[in-house]
Amino acid sequence: GLCTVWVDDIPILSCSYIAMRAEGKNITTLEGLKKEALEFGSFLATEGGDQCGFCSPGLIMNVISLKRKFKNPTEEMIQNYLMGNLCRCTGYSAQLRAIKKYCETNDHDKF
Ligand code: FES
């Protein structure tokens, strides 16, 4: 999931997406989500879910999408939504705690 970008607000794997299909579509990369990425990154750091950081860009893209799509997703929903995001460092527990806490925050709670 490291190569995740959004095409018309839907996460896709850019490494397996034929470029011609993107013509006329809105492409969002991590740089386009800086504010939300920084916010989720702080949750990740607080919970100890940031280690080497190799998987972080794709994880962040998908977590922000998840939060926008679902209000208070269950643990099972989170695991299903992030199934393609592989992390070799954390074992997922810390990431899952961070995702749950991040998804519990309301947009007006942002700091
Ligand atoms: Fe190292 Fe995920 S933090 S691969």
Side-chain angles (χ1 to χ4, degrees):
L2 179 62
C3 66
T4 301
V5 299
W6 293 358
V7 176
D8 286 342
D9 295 332
I10 297 171
I12 59 103
L13 299 176
S14 62
C15 68
S16 62
Y17 191 84
I18 297 172
M20 289 172 29
R21 291 179 61 200
E23 187 170 331
K25 303 207 174 180
N26 185 32
I27 309 298
T28 306
T29 65
L30 187 61
E31 286 72 21
L33 300 168
K34 262 186 189 164
K35 188 176 175 190
E36 289 165 287
L38 283 171
E39 183 184 5
F40 175 61
S42 71
F43 282 84
L44 210 49
T46 300
E47 295 301 326
D50 61 333
Q51 292 190 23
C52 80
F54 185 77
C55 66
S56 297
L59 176 71
I60 291 169
M61 293 294 289
N62 279 311
V63 168
I64 294 170
S65 172
L66 169 81
K67 183 176 180 183
R68 287 186 179 189
K69 193 170 181 179
F70 303 106
K71 277 194 184 263
N72 299 320
T74 64
E75 192 168 313
E76 185 179 1
M77 290 165 73
I78 294 169
Q79 288 170 339
N80 284 333
Y81 203 82
L82 301 175
M83 194 173 287
N85 288 86
L86 304 178
C87 176
R88 300 175 71 159
C89 298
T90 67
Y92 304 105
S93 297
Q95 289 181 347
L96 187 57
R97 283 194 310 271
I99 294 164
K100 286 162 96 175
K101 288 183 178 176
Y102 174 68
C103 288
E104 288 169 0
T105 62
N106 294 318
D107 288 339
H108 56 76
D109 290 341
K110 288 182 180 173
F111 41 90

